[in-house]
Amino acid sequence: MTGLYQPSRMIDTHQHLWKPSERRYEWLDDAGLPLNTDFGPEDVAADVAAAGITSTVLVQSADTYEDTFYMLSVAARVPVVRGVVAWAPLDRTGEAEAALDLYAASPVVRGIRVLNHNYADPRWLLRPEVDAALRMLAPRGLALDVVSVLPEHLVMLAELAERHPELIIVLDHLAKPDIAGKAWEPWAQLMTEVAARPNVSVKLSGLNTASSPDWTWDDWLPYVDHAVEQFGSTRMMMGSDWPVSILAGDFVGVWTAQREVIGHLSHQQQDDILFATATRVYSLEES
């Protein structure tokens, strides 16, 4: 990492842990190896240290309480974990309220996510029965992570952010642009429309698995620059997307490439992306 700017700290805002040997992750049934196996904190600790990461945020991998409570058990014993993005049944209002009350009392639950990108309805988060639960997040200090893999998801997200201006929304993985296919539209225009909603931030993460197998960070540059131009560095944060990231690279290599793609930005902008935005958006304690 010689030559890269050395910030005072770095936060990995998008890390997964899962143990199919202990609990069910339905989407892993068809994933095969190398993903369909156990990934615990001990499997990534050395890479986190080697990359210079000082804090991590664990993000839900299944729409189950089991997954959330596994993450909470890790956070209770692994000091580097500073935040958890949990799951709640957003379409079951009463149950969601009880879950959110419990989460709000936790010092580490900082947001909520569901696997909306796997749902048949790309507008699921706009359903009336979900709306009531979403209105409970902001008063409890919880953000909402949203996964977008289709143009329809970004259209939905712009409407969702407009409907809930008080809700902090985090768009994962730069909405997965088709970097391998060198596609630009409709992704670019839709990102511009989403960025016009000031309550939405975006994660620089998961780009290696949207790229050709022989990717370099230069492949990502136009997409990242567009996101920075539209959102500003103060609404961008960085995540590893480990262990999904191992499908197209190793932890340190991918993290370093993500740092290189923002290396032309000012030190202040890099600080925003590497730790300041995440600290503010997720209300994380400074490490």
Side-chain angles (χ1 to χ4, degrees):
M1 290 185 283
T2 303
L4 287 174
Y5 166 62
Q6 299 302 315
S8 60
R9 57 190 186 278
M10 289 190 287
I11 301 175
D12 177 356
T13 68
H14 203 96
Q15 192 177 109
H16 300 292
L17 301 175
W18 56 69
K19 290 205 170 184
S21 66
E22 297 179 353
R23 59 194 60 84
R24 183 79 187 281
Y25 303 81
E26 290 187 7
W27 66 274
L28 278 176
D29 292 346
D30 299 321
L33 295 175
L35 294 185
N36 195 356
T37 190
D38 288 2
F39 290 96
E42 65 280 0
D43 299 310
V44 73
D47 284 333
V48 166
I53 293 165
T54 53
S55 304
T56 63
V57 176
L58 302 181
V59 178
Q60 63 99 222
S61 304
D63 288 349
T64 64
Y65 292 116
E66 284 184 301
D67 175 58
T68 290
F69 278 83
Y70 169 55
M71 291 189 293
L72 291 176
S73 73
V74 172
R77 61 185 173 85
V78 179
V80 74
V81 177
R82 296 302 182 96
V84 167
V85 176
W87 172 81
L90 298 178
D91 56 344
R92 304 196 294 269
T93 306
E95 185 180 337
E97 183 174 18
L100 295 175
D101 283 344
L102 286 173
Y103 295 157
S106 165
V108 294
V109 177
R110 309 314 313 149
I112 298 296
R113 191 179 85 149
V114 299
L115 299 182
N116 65 282
H117 61 304
N118 289 339
Y119 299 172
D121 180 7
R123 295 174 61 83
W124 188 89
L125 286 167
L126 294 175
R127 290 186 174 187
E129 63 271 27
V130 176
D131 189 85
L134 291 179
R135 295 188 185 280
M136 301 176 189
L137 298 183
R140 290 165 175 78
L142 298 171
L144 176 72
D145 267 51
V146 175
V147 191
S148 171
V149 297
L150 301 171
E152 292 83 358
H153 289 138
L154 285 177
V155 173
M156 175 276 297
L157 180 54
E159 187 174 339
L160 181 73
E162 193 81 25
R163 183 184 295 183
H164 297 276
E166 77 293 342
L167 176 61
I168 294 175
I169 299 173
V170 181
L171 173 58
D172 294 343
H173 312 320
L174 246 64
K176 282 290 184 179
D178 181 10
I179 301 171
K182 301 186 186 305
W184 188 249
E185 298 294 358
W187 174 86
Q189 181 56 39
L190 290 172
M191 288 289 278
T192 297
E193 293 174 12
V194 169
R197 280 67 179 180
N199 53 323
V200 182
S201 296
V202 66
K203 286 183 182 178
L204 168 51
S205 57
L207 300 188
N208 62 312
T209 51
S211 306
S212 300
D214 57 348
W215 62 265
T216 70
W217 64 263
D218 297 274
D219 300 327
W220 309 340
L221 189 58
Y223 301 92
V224 173
D225 279 353
H226 180 67
V228 173
E229 180 181 350
Q230 299 305 316
F231 287 88
S233 61
T234 59
R235 289 195 285 146
M236 181 178 286
M237 61 186 83
M238 188 176 289
S240 68
D241 198 28
W242 186 87
V244 178
S245 59
I246 68 172
L247 293 174
D250 64 274
F251 188 104
V252 175
V254 173
W255 186 264
T256 302
Q258 292 179 168
R259 292 188 60 193
E260 289 174 328
V261 80
I262 63 169
H264 62 294
L265 302 178
S266 71
H267 290 178
Q268 180 57 62
Q269 287 174 306
Q270 292 185 61
D271 281 349
D272 289 339
I273 296 168
L274 291 169
F275 66 86
T277 299
T279 301
R280 184 186 72 256
V281 167
Y282 283 134
S283 299
L284 301 175
E285 295 182 4
E286 293 192 8
S287 56

